[in-house]
Amino acid sequence: MVNPKSKIQNHNNPHSALRVLWIWHAAVVAEYQKPLDVLGRCADLEMAVLVPRRWPERAGQMVYAEGPLSASYRFIKARTLFTGFYYVYFFPSLLYHLLRYRPHIIYCYEEAHTFISACVLLLRRIFMPRTRVLLYAAQNIKKRYPLPFRTFERYCFRRADSILACGSRVAETLRSKGYRGDLRVVPLPTDTRAFSRDPALRDQGRRDVALPANAFVIGYAGKLVEEKGVRTLWAAFAEIALEHEEVHLALAGGGPLKDDLLEGARRSGLAGRLHLPGVIHNDHLPAYMNALDVFVLPSETRPNWREQFGRVLVEAMACGVPVIGSDSGEIPEVVGDAGLIFHEGDVAALASHLRDLLANPASRADLSQRCRERVLNLFTLERVAAQHHSIYQAMSRQ
């Protein structure tokens, strides 16, 4: 755990706090700033985050920078060029903010093939050679990027002091692409106070989505697109729904498959048991998760994509909801022995898991407990912040 009373020495002044600057486009959403709030409460750290003034973050909806959540960290919002294109966006005032804040450590929460990562490393080399720079990685497919992004990636691989991968398959991909530097696996965190089992939230979530109180609800949250395996989930649900009248399906999110799903429900006579509440805001997601009896993430690998982490799985698990995931990407590592896994695209296997959970309340209760315990052991804000804190300590001694 993060120890707010611990002291570490920075390379300029052994008695002052270590200044850490995060640069992250997605931090326009206040929810994502929670790890910063935890780290900012450490007496030996002075945290700051540089975010765009606006970014199309929530399912493509423009979000104007929210925050800060508290006074424990400095919140800097600045104008960006090429807003919305994470691989080429840039802060015109980047050098000004770097020289003004003079961070000892920069965590550029962006991939190595992005323009902003290359810029940060170049400016560090010229103006602050003793500052340490970490990058983020979520790509888990070995891709050969076109120019100039391939050049950015090679430069960042040579110059970054460390890369934080969100999963083990991401780390393997980095090594296969030639990155030989320091590499750490740091998972994405979840707020286990907001996401927890709550009967009142369960009732609220069911009212919000118009779910019957006695329904057995299979749920999903994410984009309604082919690669998320929504068609596979629909097919498995339709098979079971014909056998059990109490089974309902809730698909939160938006995307091009919405009309197809509605038409399929109409043709099969299941329109009254398919619920499409649209994109659910972070504030309302805990209630939605609590409303479910089982959560499914049926992602399906494509030539240019496979599931990188599956944050919604952890959020459902934190609420004590049994989870079923496909074997795409990082899902098996996230779920571990706390949930059920099926081969991606296998309708029969998914339907079998759903039938087993529907027929066995004791199994659901056991998985519910294991899900919550796994999240508390691996994915809390405090545990992930502690990993960052340890990395910063190690870097300050280099």
Side-chain angles (χ1 to χ4, degrees):
M1 292 293 185
V2 173
N3 179 4
K5 295 183 179 180
S6 65
K7 293 293 178 184
I8 58 179
Q9 296 181 350
N10 70 56
H11 52 220
N12 291 322
N13 186 338
H15 304 293
S16 65
L18 196 69
R19 293 190 299 278
V20 181
L21 174 67
W22 285 26
I23 300 172
W24 188 19
H25 71 266
V28 293
V29 176
E31 175 75 18
Y32 298 159
Q33 299 167 28
K34 287 182 177 179
L36 280 152
D37 185 36
V38 176
L39 287 165
R41 297 177 190 278
C42 298
D44 55 352
L45 297 179
E46 183 181 316
M47 300 295 302
V49 59
L50 175 62
V51 305
R53 289 179 182 171
R54 60 192 185 97
W55 194 271
E57 183 59 27
R58 290 195 184 97
Q61 300 173 4
M62 190 61 71
V63 176
Y64 288 83
E66 306 166 345
L69 293 173
S70 73
S72 69
Y73 59 97
R74 187 179 301 184
F75 186 70
I76 309 165
K77 54 185 178 181
R79 182 174 69 90
T80 52
L81 300 179
F82 307 109
T83 301
F85 299 95
Y86 84 95
Y87 42 87
V88 293
Y89 90 93
F90 179 70
F91 295 95
S93 56
L94 177 60
L95 179 58
Y96 166 79
H97 292 297
L98 293 179
L99 294 178
R100 185 183 183 200
Y101 189 62
R102 289 283 175 181
H104 303 110
I105 294 174
I106 299 171
Y107 180 28
C108 188
Y109 207 135
E110 310 290 354
E111 299 271 359
H113 62 272
T114 61
F115 182 54
I116 188 68
S117 293
C119 286
V120 167
L121 285 163
L122 179 61
L123 292 175
R124 181 278 299 267
R125 186 182 182 192
I126 297 172
F127 295 100
M128 326 165 146
R130 299 185 67 190
T131 296
R132 304 297 182 182
V133 176
L134 301 86
L135 303 181
Y136 169 75
Q139 291 294 331
N140 57 7
I141 292 180
K142 188 176 180 180
K143 299 178 181 178
R144 180 176 170 82
Y145 296 108
L147 294 172
F149 308 106
R150 188 162 70 248
T151 302
F152 297 157
E153 184 178 62
R154 285 200 299 264
Y155 181 78
C156 290
F157 278 1
R158 291 197 307 270
R159 298 295 178 183
D161 293 288
S162 183
I163 297 181
L164 308 187
C166 68
S168 58
R169 286 170 175 78
V170 176
E172 291 167 3
T173 301
L174 285 171
R175 291 303 191 204
S176 72
K177 296 192 76 173
Y179 176 65
R180 296 292 175 260
D182 185 67
L183 180 60
R184 318 290 179 95
V185 175
V186 180
L188 303 181
T190 292
D191 183 350
T192 52
R193 288 172 294 277
F195 288 91
S196 61
R197 181 183 293 176
D198 187 329
L201 280 182
R202 178 179 173 86
D203 293 340
Q204 176 189 324
R206 294 210 164 197
R207 288 193 302 269
D208 292 344
V209 186
L211 294 165
N214 62 345
F216 182 88
V217 183
I218 302 165
Y220 162 87
K223 295 179 180 179
L224 304 182
V225 294
E226 296 286 354
E227 59 267 30
K228 284 294 187 175
V230 181
R231 291 190 192 275
T232 297
L233 175 54
W234 165 257
F237 160 73
E239 190 176 310
I240 293 172
L242 296 176
E243 306 165 1
H244 301 276
E245 293 183 356
E246 73 275 22
V247 176
H248 286 240
L249 177 64
L251 304 175
L257 294 186
K258 179 178 179 179
D259 290 342
D260 285 357
L261 292 164
L262 287 170
E263 177 60 21
R266 185 192 64 77
R267 287 198 311 268
S268 57
L270 296 173
R273 289 197 270 164
L274 173 64
H275 307 265
L276 298 168
V279 177
I280 295 181
H281 190 279
N282 297 84
D283 293 342
H284 303 292
L285 199 53
Y288 174 77
M289 291 299 189
N290 269 276
L292 307 178
D293 293 291
V294 58
F295 182 88
V296 181
L297 188 61
S299 304
E300 297 177 5
T301 301
R302 296 292 186 267
N304 64 342
W305 181 88
R306 63 180 172 180
E307 192 64 59
Q308 295 172 336
F309 185 78
R311 185 194 294 268
V312 287
L313 275 171
V314 181
E315 292 167 342
M317 292 164 67
C319 294
V321 179
V323 297
I324 303 174
S326 75
D327 56 0
S328 176
E330 200 67 19
I331 291 176
E333 294 293 325
V334 170
V335 171
D337 63 355
L340 304 175
I341 300 296
F342 69 99
H343 183 59
E344 55 184 88
D346 191 335
V347 174
L350 174 55
S352 177
H353 283 323
L354 289 169
R355 283 192 187 92
D356 289 345
L357 291 181
L358 178 61
N360 195 338
S363 179
R364 296 202 304 270
D366 176 59
L367 287 177
S368 172
Q369 181 177 347
R370 283 155 60 184
C371 280
R372 178 70 180 178
E373 289 175 352
R374 183 168 178 81
V375 173
L376 293 178
N377 288 333
L378 298 175
F379 303 120
T380 66
L381 291 168
E382 292 77 14
R383 287 193 177 275
V384 173
Q387 288 182 261
H388 277 269
H389 191 267
S390 177
I391 292 167
Y392 304 158
Q393 285 181 315
M395 287 195 158
S396 72
R397 293 190 290 266
Q398 292 176 356

